[in-house]
Amino acid sequence: MAEPERRRTDRSPWNWLLLVPIVVPLLTFLYNHDEPRIAGFPLFYWLQFAFILLGVGTTTLVYQMTKRGRS
């Protein structure tokens, strides 16, 4: 007798963390400054790279935490 097919669910609470890299770059008060400068680049430019790292890190964390629940 075949085992009943499991229904796939993506309703993990970890998925809520994926809102962080979406919301943080929308907070303009974080980077609405010229100083400090790193290697001559204003805050806005190097903070954009930090937002990319935030997105990659958050996505990796959510993937790893939701992967554990799968069989």
Side-chain angles (χ1 to χ4, degrees):
M1 190 183 253
E3 192 175 307
E5 187 176 320
R6 282 186 173 174
R7 198 168 165 209
R8 183 175 175 206
T9 177
D10 291 332
R11 295 182 185 205
S12 172
W14 287 100
N15 290 341
W16 286 103
L17 277 178
L18 294 173
L19 288 175
V20 171
I22 295 170
V23 172
V24 170
L26 296 175
L27 304 174
T28 57
F29 63 87
L30 292 176
Y31 54 88
N32 193 16
H33 306 284
D34 188 45
E35 299 290 331
R37 290 177 172 260
I38 295 180
F41 291 100
L43 174 74
F44 174 79
Y45 291 105
W46 58 265
L47 200 55
Q48 295 301 310
F49 289 112
F51 291 154
I52 292 169
L53 294 176
L54 174 69
V56 169
T58 305
T59 304
T60 302
L61 175 67
V62 169
Y63 173 73
Q64 293 297 326
M65 297 309 288
T66 56
K67 180 176 77 167
R68 293 180 186 174
R70 299 181 204 153
S71 54

